[in-house]
Amino acid sequence: MVNEKLPGIVLVDDLRSFVDGRVAHVARSSRAGIETLERRRGQRLDELWLDHDLGEDDTIWPVVEVLERAAFEERPFNIGVVCVHSANPAGAEKITQALRRWGYDVRSAAGSPQVGYLSEAD
């Protein structure tokens, strides 16, 4: 297997992207977010951006549960900062509380101008 250099930033959001064009891996569902994290296991992730509502019945909670379980098993993911950019205030607060409890550095990024809807599909 080739040791490829993966972006140090992951965004889990069903619709939004980084508006400044930064290099990031974008996961559009909780399943894709989990798969991305599992591929990154053992590697440094500078930033993990999380949205709460991921379309239809999907939410970020399966991803949060993977992060919590890893910390519970004393194998937390190596993440510099988790940025919660959800427009759902109650959901964002629950994510923040859950991940801080397990020692992750979590910051509120609700309304961040860095994340937005692009005019064309990415």
Side-chain angles (χ1 to χ4, degrees), residues 7 15 36 43 55 62 64 66 68-69 74 80-81 84 86 88 92 96 112 117:
L15 299 172
T36 300
Q43 299 175 17
V64 172
V66 166
E68 289 178 307
R69 184 175 351 153
E74 298 182 2
V81 64
V84 181
S86 179
N88 176 332
T96 300
S112 173
Y117 301 98

Coordinates of all heavy atoms in Angstrom, one line a residue, residues 7 15 36 43 55 62 64 66 68-69 74 80-81 84 86 88 92 96 112 117:
P7 N -5.0 15.1 3.2 CA -5.2 16.4 3.8 C -5.3 16.3 5.3 O -5.9 15.4 5.9 CB -6.5 16.9 3.2 CG -6.8 16.0 2.0 CD -6.0 14.7 2.3
L15 N -23.8 19.4 2.7 CA -24.0 20.4 1.6 C -22.9 21.4 1.5 O -22.6 21.9 0.4 CB -25.3 21.1 1.9 CG -26.6 20.3 1.9 CD1 -27.8 21.1 2.3 CD2 -26.8 19.7 0.5
T36 N -13.7 7.8 6.6 CA -12.5 8.7 6.5 C -11.7 8.6 7.8 O -10.5 8.5 7.8 CB -13.0 10.1 6.3 OG1 -13.7 10.2 5.0 CG2 -11.9 11.1 6.2
Q43 N -2.9 8.6 12.3 CA -2.3 9.8 11.6 C -2.9 11.0 12.3 O -4.0 11.1 12.8 CB -2.7 9.8 10.1 CG -2.2 8.6 9.3 CD -2.7 8.7 7.9 OE1 -3.1 9.7 7.4 NE2 -2.6 7.6 7.2
G55 N -28.7 15.5 6.4 CA -29.6 15.2 5.3 C -30.5 14.0 5.7 O -30.0 13.1 6.3
P62 N -23.3 9.0 14.6 CA -22.4 7.8 14.4 C -20.9 8.2 14.4 O -20.1 7.4 15.0 CB -22.9 7.3 13.1 CG -24.3 7.7 13.0 CD -24.3 9.1 13.6
V64 N -19.6 10.8 16.0 CA -19.3 11.2 17.4 C -19.1 9.9 18.3 O -18.2 9.8 19.1 CB -20.4 12.1 18.0 CG1 -20.2 12.3 19.5 CG2 -20.4 13.4 17.3
V66 N -18.0 7.0 17.3 CA -16.7 6.4 16.9 C -15.6 7.2 17.7 O -14.7 6.5 18.2 CB -16.4 6.4 15.4 CG1 -15.0 6.2 15.1 CG2 -17.4 5.4 14.7
E68 N -15.9 8.9 20.5 CA -16.1 8.6 21.9 C -15.5 7.2 22.3 O -14.8 7.0 23.2 CB -17.6 8.6 22.3 CG -18.1 10.0 22.4 CD -19.6 10.0 22.7 OE1 -20.4 9.3 22.0 OE2 -20.0 10.7 23.7
R69 N -15.9 6.2 21.4 CA -15.5 4.8 21.7 C -13.9 4.7 21.7 O -13.3 4.1 22.5 CB -16.1 3.8 20.7 CG -15.7 2.4 21.0 CD -16.4 1.4 20.1 NE -17.3 2.1 19.4 CZ -18.0 2.3 18.3 NH1 -18.1 1.7 17.7 NH2 -18.7 3.0 17.7
E74 N -9.1 4.2 25.2 CA -7.8 4.8 25.4 C -6.9 4.8 24.1 O -5.7 4.7 24.1 CB -7.0 4.2 26.6 CG -7.8 4.4 27.9 CD -7.0 3.8 29.1 OE1 -5.9 3.3 28.9 OE2 -7.6 3.9 30.2
G80 N -6.1 17.8 16.2 CA -5.7 19.1 16.8 C -6.9 19.8 17.4 O -6.9 20.1 18.6
V81 N -7.9 20.0 16.6 CA -9.2 20.7 17.0 C -10.4 20.2 16.3 O -10.3 19.9 15.1 CB -9.0 22.2 16.9 CG1 -8.9 22.6 15.4 CG2 -10.2 22.9 17.5
V84 N -17.1 22.6 15.5 CA -18.5 22.2 15.3 C -19.2 23.4 14.6 O -19.4 24.5 15.3 CB -19.2 21.9 16.6 CG1 -20.7 21.5 16.4 CG2 -18.5 20.7 17.3
S86 N -22.2 23.5 13.0 CA -23.7 23.2 12.8 C -24.5 24.4 13.0 O -24.3 25.2 14.0 CB -24.1 22.1 13.7 OG -25.5 21.8 13.5
N88 N -27.5 24.0 13.9 CA -28.5 23.4 14.9 C -27.8 23.6 16.3 O -27.0 22.9 16.7 CB -28.7 21.9 14.6 CG -29.5 21.2 15.6 OD1 -29.6 21.6 16.8 ND2 -30.2 20.1 15.2
A92 N -25.3 21.2 18.2 CA -23.9 21.6 18.3 C -23.5 21.5 19.8 O -22.4 21.1 20.0 CB -23.8 23.0 17.7
T96 N -20.4 19.2 21.3 CA -19.4 19.8 22.0 C -19.2 19.2 23.4 O -18.1 18.8 23.8 CB -19.6 21.3 22.1 OG1 -19.7 21.9 20.8 CG2 -18.5 22.0 22.9
S112 N -19.5 30.2 10.9 CA -18.2 30.5 10.4 C -18.2 30.8 8.9 O -18.8 30.1 8.1 CB -17.2 29.3 10.6 OG -16.0 29.5 10.0
Y117 N -22.1 27.4 1.3 CA -22.7 26.7 0.2 C -22.0 27.3 -1.1 O -21.9 28.5 -1.3 CB -24.2 27.0 0.1 CG -24.9 26.5 1.3 CD1 -25.2 27.4 2.4 CD2 -25.2 25.2 1.5 CE1 -25.9 26.9 3.5 CE2 -25.9 24.7 2.6 CZ -26.2 25.6 3.6 OH -26.8 25.1 4.8

